[in-house]
Amino acid sequence: MKQHQNFPIKGKYKKPIVSDLYYQETQTKKPLVLFCHGYKGYKDWGAFDKMSSLFLNAGFALLKFNFSHNGGTLDNPIDFPDLDAFGKNNYMMELDDLKSVIDWVCENSDIENEIDIHNITLIGHSRGGAIATLKAAEDIRIKKLVTWAAVCDLNRSMFLEGQELEQWKKDGVFYIINGRTQQKMPHDIQFYNNFIENKERLNVEKATKNINIPHLIFHGDGDVAVPVEHAKNLHLWNPTSELVIIKNANHVFGAKQPWIEDEFPEDFKLVLKKTIDFLK
């Protein structure tokens, strides 16, 4: 197995896109699975770090990466040592980062004998599912789309309203406490302004209606972070998609950070199995 871990891909912005690429060295082109993490997430969160072997054994290559401004660094890609970058992140940056990663794969002569650039699947978790959906609708290089507990509306996914929104505009920043790390995570007002300026391009409903590739949607009906209605909306907007609702599953399908068990949680195991079956 070939492993390239924690290497930088150069993007449009000053921060590196810290990435992992896994594949079996066979000198034959393999379909590529490209994984996008969600809000307050990263490529190595919980059970995400250990899933590479399943994709490799099924004949795929896997590339997972941290969005450039997710708060991780090249030296420490886990958790959020760079809160300043986290505060400066926005949806358009994440879309640009994803394009940079796809470009890197498609233009990299070092891996051209191992990766089939005409068979790229996007998998996105949570907010990463929305970013993956937007990209799949606008980039013909993407041949399949899978979302895990995705949000269906980036406007609804975190924005403040009314008085709280006015306070955000006044202060220029608001903070969310990370329950696990206890960090005060900043959100600069540029995040909101950038969304309003690019609302049309960031419309997940419109993008989903334009998806004309195989599309698989997973959600747990026990998800309190992103209610299962989000998945039902996505399926409604693309009736040719396949919807899998997992009974009592939570937002991360039973996983947690860190994941130190040898076995995957049962719900996550089911998601991985059905994802791989779908891709095959």
Side-chain angles (χ1 to χ4, degrees), residues 37-90:
H37 67 76
Y39 171 58
K40 289 193 292 188
Y42 42 90
K43 66 182 175 63
D44 300 316
W45 189 91
F48 296 154
D49 190 38
K50 295 186 174 176
M51 65 185 183
S52 56
S53 57
L54 274 82
F55 286 102
L56 266 63
N57 292 342
F60 297 92
L62 174 70
L63 195 159
K64 53 191 181 72
F65 66 95
N66 284 352
F67 288 108
S68 63
H69 284 65
N70 81 318
T73 63
L74 199 51
D75 294 331
N76 183 7
I78 290 176
D79 288 340
F80 312 99
D82 190 351
L83 286 176
D84 183 59
F86 183 90
K88 291 180 170 55
N89 193 20
N90 60 52

Side-chain angles (χ1 to χ4, degrees), residues 200-230:
E200 209 38 48
R201 190 168 165 210
L202 295 170
N203 184 327
V204 179
E205 178 178 352
K206 192 176 93 174
T208 307
K209 287 175 173 173
N210 287 332
I211 297 287
N212 54 12
I213 54 175
H215 180 194
L216 175 62
I217 301 161
F218 285 100
H219 221 102
D221 64 8
D223 190 338
V224 291
V226 178
V228 71
E229 279 62 43
H230 283 250

Side-chain angles (χ1 to χ4, degrees), residues 66-256:
N66 284 352
F67 288 108
S68 63
H69 284 65
N70 81 318
T73 63
L74 199 51
D75 294 331
N76 183 7
I78 290 176
D79 288 340
F80 312 99
D82 190 351
L83 286 176
D84 183 59
F86 183 90
K88 291 180 170 55
N89 193 20
N90 60 52
Y91 300 137
M92 292 301 291
M93 275 184 167
E94 293 193 351
L95 267 179
D96 287 340
D97 286 345
L98 182 49
K99 178 184 184 299
S100 295
V101 172
I102 299 165
D103 289 347
W104 178 86
V105 168
C106 292
E107 293 161 11
N108 189 338
S109 58
D110 291 344
I111 54 173
E112 64 184 358
N113 294 328
E114 299 289 351
I115 306 292
D116 182 357
I117 62 169
H118 303 294
N119 193 347
I120 299 175
T121 294
L122 288 185
I123 297 180
H125 175 250
S126 193
R127 183 165 112 184
I131 299 297
T133 302
L134 294 170
K135 184 51 71 184
E138 67 181 25
D139 193 324
I140 59 167
R141 296 174 295 182
I142 305 308
K143 302 305 183 201
K144 293 190 179 91
L145 171 66
V146 182
T147 60
W148 298 346
V151 297
C152 74
D153 181 352
L154 288 171
N155 188 31
R156 260 195 344 204
S157 71
M158 72 164 274
F159 285 139
L160 307 177
E161 293 174 326
Q163 208 176 338
E164 287 182 316
L165 176 57
E166 292 313 307
Q167 194 64 45
W168 187 12
K169 288 176 180 175
K170 194 174 144 198
D171 296 341
V173 63
F174 89 92
Y175 295 89
I176 279 186
I177 299 290
N178 184 317
R180 189 175 57 80
T181 66
Q182 293 304 303
Q183 288 165 294
K184 275 177 74 181
M185 307 191 78
H187 298 78
D188 295 355
I189 192 62
Q190 65 79 28
F191 187 98
Y192 174 79
N193 294 336
N194 182 270
F195 174 78
I196 297 301
E197 284 161 24
N198 297 284
K199 212 153 72 167
E200 209 38 48
R201 190 168 165 210
L202 295 170
N203 184 327
V204 179
E205 178 178 352
K206 192 176 93 174
T208 307
K209 287 175 173 173
N210 287 332
I211 297 287
N212 54 12
I213 54 175
H215 180 194
L216 175 62
I217 301 161
F218 285 100
H219 221 102
D221 64 8
D223 190 338
V224 291
V226 178
V228 71
E229 279 62 43
H230 283 250
K232 290 175 180 174
N233 284 338
L234 293 172
H235 183 51
L236 184 72
W237 299 332
N238 179 12
T240 64
S241 64
E242 190 181 328
L243 174 63
V244 179
I245 295 173
I246 300 176
K247 199 162 171 51
N248 302 325
N250 66 10
H251 188 57
V252 286
F253 304 104
K256 61 181 181 187

